[in-house]
Amino acid sequence: MTVNITEQIQEKAREILSSGQVELIIGYQRASDGVTARPAFIRKAENVAKLIFDQTCTHNLAKYAIEHRGKSMAIVAKACDTFGINVLIQENQIIREKTYVIGVNCPGVVEVSFGQVGDKLQYRCQICQEHAPAVYDYVAGDPVEEKPLGFDPYIKVKVLEALSQEERIAFWEKHFERCIRCYACRNACPQCYCTECVVEQIDPDWVGIPIQVPEKQIFHVIRAFHLAGRCIGCNECERSCPVGIPLSLMNMKFSQDVEDQFGYKPGRDPEVCAPLATYQPDENLGIGG
Ligand code: SF4
Ligand code: SF4
Ligand code: SF4
């Protein structure tokens, strides 16, 4: 029998709010367009009926956990969102004991955008091979059978890698020309949480304020390096971009390199730190002979 994920989430939310175990539920509710979903912040048991879960629930709610850090909260999390939660626990941004995770065995989310709901799974879901939450206190939904992909998940990166250096530079310059430096990609990202982002710092002024291609390039390169080994592939950055820049290509390239070099995938184990965020005083970096 297929379980009703929405009912399961509502029931658990009611229970833990009524008992005082948490003061806030971060989940999904139907958006005002009537078809897509948006984040919901439920503080009273009588409001849990607003919570929903379906294949339009695309947001990575780990982002909002940071804003409510210190509170006892519950968060509805698809499998990939739980990887983001683990990274935040690992980096001491949220407290595990105060964060009740309502994990979801995830059937995948479809393409959704400004009132439009498609029937095609998002690309990240087409290549997903981990549908079960990595950290949870309760799990909603039936387990999803993991099937072999039958194609290379990094095929889009390989097509780009096959181009010459000049062609790759031209590819990214063409896209970065269109970037309006609105920072929606950064703001949607659960792993971008610095109080003052390096690209907005004015003392020292690391990156100039103009929106010429070199400044935009440096923003994207800095962000990609800061996310290397920390990006969990939720693709919220690309989905948030108003001009459709294919940021997932850059994210996937870095993820693939970190996995190849270090055998590391972020967020699977909160005890293991990201290789590029770890420094051992006695490690040999091969610098200085
Ligand atoms: S990538 Fe996997 S866990 Fe994440 S939304 Fe898609 S199917 Fe669900
Ligand atoms: S960089 Fe993009 S894909 Fe990676 S964690 Fe941030 S929002 Fe998700
Ligand atoms: S969301 Fe798009 S346009 Fe805005 S800063 Fe990011 S890449 Fe540029």
Side-chain angles (χ1 to χ4, degrees):
M1 187 185 79
T2 305
V3 297
N4 184 319
I5 300 178
T6 292
E7 281 175 14
Q8 287 185 318
I9 291 172
Q10 288 181 359
E11 198 176 312
K12 182 49 72 179
R14 190 174 295 110
E15 178 194 318
I16 56 181
L17 270 177
S18 305
S19 67
Q21 189 173 352
V22 300
E23 52 187 306
L24 170 69
I25 309 279
I26 305 174
Y28 300 94
Q29 70 182 95
R30 187 60 69 220
S32 54
D33 60 18
V35 286
T36 61
R38 68 176 170 90
F41 302 88
I42 306 290
R43 292 178 175 81
K44 293 184 180 159
E46 60 259 37
N47 291 334
V48 299
K50 287 185 184 168
L51 291 168
I52 62 158
F53 189 89
D54 62 18
Q55 288 189 291
T56 68
C57 293
T58 181
H59 302 80
N60 186 336
L61 301 178
K63 181 77 192 177
Y64 301 97
I66 308 169
E67 289 173 17
H68 293 88
R69 68 183 111 200
K71 287 200 175 122
S72 57
M73 62 183 152
I75 178 165
V76 176
K78 305 182 295 294
C80 55
D81 304 336
T82 65
F83 304 148
I85 291 172
N86 265 344
V87 172
L88 295 176
I89 294 170
Q90 184 187 63
E91 296 177 353
N92 295 317
Q93 294 305 310
I94 56 173
I95 303 164
R96 175 67 182 102
E97 292 70 30
K98 288 193 157 197
T99 311
Y100 189 101
V101 182
I102 303 176
V104 177
N105 278 322
C106 181
V109 288
V110 293
E111 300 281 357
V112 290
S113 175
F114 303 109
Q116 302 292 318
V117 177
D119 51 12
K120 191 172 151 207
L121 281 180
Q122 294 184 12
Y123 186 69
R124 62 167 163 150
C125 303
Q126 293 175 33
I127 61 173
C128 177
Q129 294 187 289
E130 294 166 279
H131 296 79
V135 57
Y136 56 84
D137 297 286
Y138 172 77
V139 182
D142 289 326
V144 176
E145 189 191 347
E146 305 291 356
K147 295 182 189 151
L149 266 190
F151 63 95
D152 181 352
Y154 291 118
I155 185 69
K156 292 185 177 188
V157 175
K158 293 205 168 123
V159 169
L160 200 54
E161 279 177 332
L163 301 178
S164 69
Q165 189 182 40
E166 291 72 26
E167 288 169 322
R168 291 200 304 271
I169 290 172
F171 174 88
W172 284 113
E173 278 183 351
K174 182 171 70 89
H175 284 297
F176 291 154
E177 250 171 36
R178 296 184 297 109
C179 170
I180 55 172
R181 220 172 144 181
C182 65
Y183 302 136
C185 49
R186 177 199 66 186
N187 294 356
C189 175
Q191 263 64 79
C192 268
Y193 53 71
C194 292
T195 317
E196 187 177 22
C197 177
V198 67
V199 298
E200 288 178 304
Q201 243 176 347
I202 49 172
D203 184 17
D205 184 12
W206 296 110
V207 183
I209 204 76
I211 54 164
Q212 306 305 319
V213 171
E215 282 84 10
K216 293 187 281 191
Q217 248 167 355
I218 199 79
F219 160 56
H220 287 289
V221 169
I222 289 175
R223 205 176 99 77
F225 272 96
H226 285 186
L227 270 297
R230 299 175 60 248
C231 165
I232 47 84
C234 65
N235 212 29
E236 282 298 279
C237 49
E238 182 172 302
R239 195 181 66 82
S240 306
C241 177
V243 295
I245 294 180
L247 297 167
S248 58
L249 289 175
M250 211 183 298
N251 298 333
M252 281 198 281
K253 168 66 181 156
F254 275 73
S255 297
Q256 182 193 23
D257 284 353
V258 170
E259 198 178 333
D260 287 352
Q261 297 288 323
F262 302 100
Y264 178 81
K265 287 173 141 188
R268 274 53 175 190
D269 181 349
E271 302 298 319
V272 184
C273 281
L276 300 186
T278 310
Y279 170 69
Q280 306 290 345
D282 59 346
E283 72 187 312
N284 178 4
L285 299 176
I287 299 169

